[in-house]
Amino acid sequence: MQAVKTKQRAIAEAESELIRLVRQTESVSRVELARQLSLAPSTVGLYVDRLVSEGFLQEGRKVASSAGRPPTILELNPEAGHFIGVDFEASQIAITSVDFSQQVLQQEVVRILASDSAAQVVKKIETGIEAIKNGSQLLGIGIGVPGVVDHQLGEAVHYEHITGWQHIPLVEHFSQQFDVPVYIENNIRAMALAEQWFGSARGVSDFVCLGIRSGIGAGVVIDGRLHTGQNGLAGEIGNWPCERLEDDSRELVPLERIASVWAILDQLAARMAAGEKTALSLKRNRVVLEDMLAAAEKQEPLVLDVLQSAASAVGRVIAQISLLLNPEKIIVAGPLAKLTDAFLEPIRQVVYPLSNTKHARAPRIVASEFGMHGGALGAAALAVHQWKPLR
């Protein structure tokens, strides 16, 4: 019996690798699959026939051939099932569903209230997944989790911005709730996966995705692989010590206290409360993010000054990351990424002089194209690429 199970697992692994190869290219034949998998064409033919009969693959167009019968191209069947990706942080949950060919089907956003407990946030994720499920079979769920995750236990370990968020068994809970495989990853790493598989990092083997939201984190990809570190803490750069000038004295504070979205809004509110002039207005003693973004686009001086300070801190950290890892590209994700002149360009002005050493070039610094759904898309892709047919 054990030998049978071992053989079934090996077949499932081979077939999932075959499907991954089909995903990676727009045109692939059985012969090419056999070559890339180093398997006999007859073995690949058996796998393909079974996957076609089960509805996961479909035979598409024929391509021109110099001799003999033209090969038939294999394609993913988008109706074979769907996957759901979830990404959340302190203020909202983003949920995305994709079909078997990784095309987006539906996207939703659910607000998180400051008063929501961990149990209430889990319930909102549950409700959001139910709302976005469609008629085809649900095959897997990926969840991008803020803060620290324990992959072995399937737990979200800690996140300071949600009350009671300690050792939450997300994999166990959602796999029992929806009866599908569930995978978790730090949400900034999920953003990096989205960039690697769908975005501006396709074909880039060394890059860093820098997520700036309620906190700050980095998804680090080295030699095409996501780097998690010994204890899964790689990329937790929100705690990177940065120098800040405060009342003519210098102090070291975590990067998040200078350049996270919440830190920027707090700094604006404090300076406005101190009487500095601006067209912005406080609402319940807070600056609303959307108002700040609009003011930055209009080049509001106070907003530009606060953003410049944050961008300088981020730029110095990126320069150090660049000297350490020598990435080809830095991708900035989060609501500030859309502020090219007010935020990205000041970052570049700090990074390029510090990183252009005698024998190296600074990385390209670009904005993510995915907006608020980048992490959810990456989480869905995590489930897609981990999926295996049942054998």
Side-chain angles (χ1 to χ4, degrees), residues 19-38:
I19 287 175
R20 278 194 287 270
L21 288 174
V22 175
R23 291 187 189 283
Q24 290 171 5
T25 180
E26 295 181 358
S27 57
V28 63
S29 66
R30 297 179 187 226
V31 173
E32 180 62 20
L33 285 173
R35 187 187 68 79
Q36 293 195 39
L37 292 169
S38 299

Side-chain angles (χ1 to χ4, degrees), residues 163-179:
T163 303
W165 195 267
Q166 300 279 346
H167 297 284
I168 310 297
L170 293 179
V171 169
E172 179 183 2
H173 176 82
F174 285 103
S175 60
Q176 289 180 355
Q177 186 72 23
F178 294 100
D179 194 28

Side-chain angles (χ1 to χ4, degrees), residues 55-124:
F56 297 117
L57 294 179
Q58 57 190 13
E59 310 223 70
R61 66 190 185 282
K62 294 182 181 294
V63 295
S65 177
S66 58
R69 187 170 59 183
T72 301
I73 295 305
L74 295 168
E75 299 172 345
L76 298 169
N77 180 5
E79 298 180 1
H82 70 286
F83 300 85
I84 288 178
V86 178
D87 166 43
F88 66 100
E89 48 145 3
S91 60
Q92 67 183 21
I93 303 163
I95 307 174
T96 294
S97 64
V98 299
D99 64 24
F100 198 72
S101 64
Q102 295 182 176
Q103 297 302 305
V104 173
L105 296 171
Q106 191 176 349
Q107 295 180 319
E108 296 285 344
V109 174
V110 180
R111 296 296 175 187
I112 295 177
L113 304 178
S115 59
D116 282 344
S117 66
Q120 288 171 315
V121 171
V122 170
K123 184 61 179 177
K124 285 187 173 183

Side-chain angles (χ1 to χ4, degrees), residues 239-255 257-258 267 309 313 316:
N239 291 320
W240 196 297
C242 298
E243 191 176 63
R244 180 171 68 181
L245 182 64
E246 188 81 22
D247 298 328
D248 296 325
S249 65
R250 297 182 183 274
E251 62 172 340
L252 287 178
V253 299
L255 177 62
R257 286 179 53 189
I258 300 174
Q267 290 169 46
S309 177
R316 289 192 293 273

Side-chain angles (χ1 to χ4, degrees), residues 245-355:
L245 182 64
E246 188 81 22
D247 298 328
D248 296 325
S249 65
R250 297 182 183 274
E251 62 172 340
L252 287 178
V253 299
L255 177 62
E256 283 185 355
R257 286 179 53 189
I258 300 174
S260 69
V261 171
W262 281 16
I264 290 169
L265 296 179
D266 284 346
Q267 290 169 46
L268 280 171
R271 291 177 62 169
M272 291 167 67
E276 294 196 45
K277 301 297 183 182
T278 175
L280 278 173
S281 59
L282 293 173
K283 297 176 181 177
R284 297 182 180 179
N285 297 319
R286 299 282 300 173
V287 176
V288 176
L289 173 60
E290 289 74 14
D291 293 346
M292 185 271 286
L293 296 175
E297 295 287 1
K298 295 177 182 177
Q299 298 188 325
E300 176 69 26
L302 178 59
V303 174
L304 293 182
D305 186 56
V306 172
L307 287 171
Q308 172 75 50
S309 177
S312 295
V314 171
R316 289 192 293 273
V317 170
I318 289 177
Q320 294 173 73
I321 291 172
S322 176
L323 292 171
L324 177 66
L325 299 179
N326 190 28
E328 178 181 340
K329 186 176 286 190
I330 303 285
I331 302 168
V332 180
L336 303 180
K338 65 180 72 174
L339 301 176
T340 302
D341 294 334
F343 194 68
L344 279 193
E345 193 55 40
I347 289 176
R348 294 178 182 127
Q349 290 174 4
V350 171
V351 173
Y352 291 163
L354 296 176
S355 301

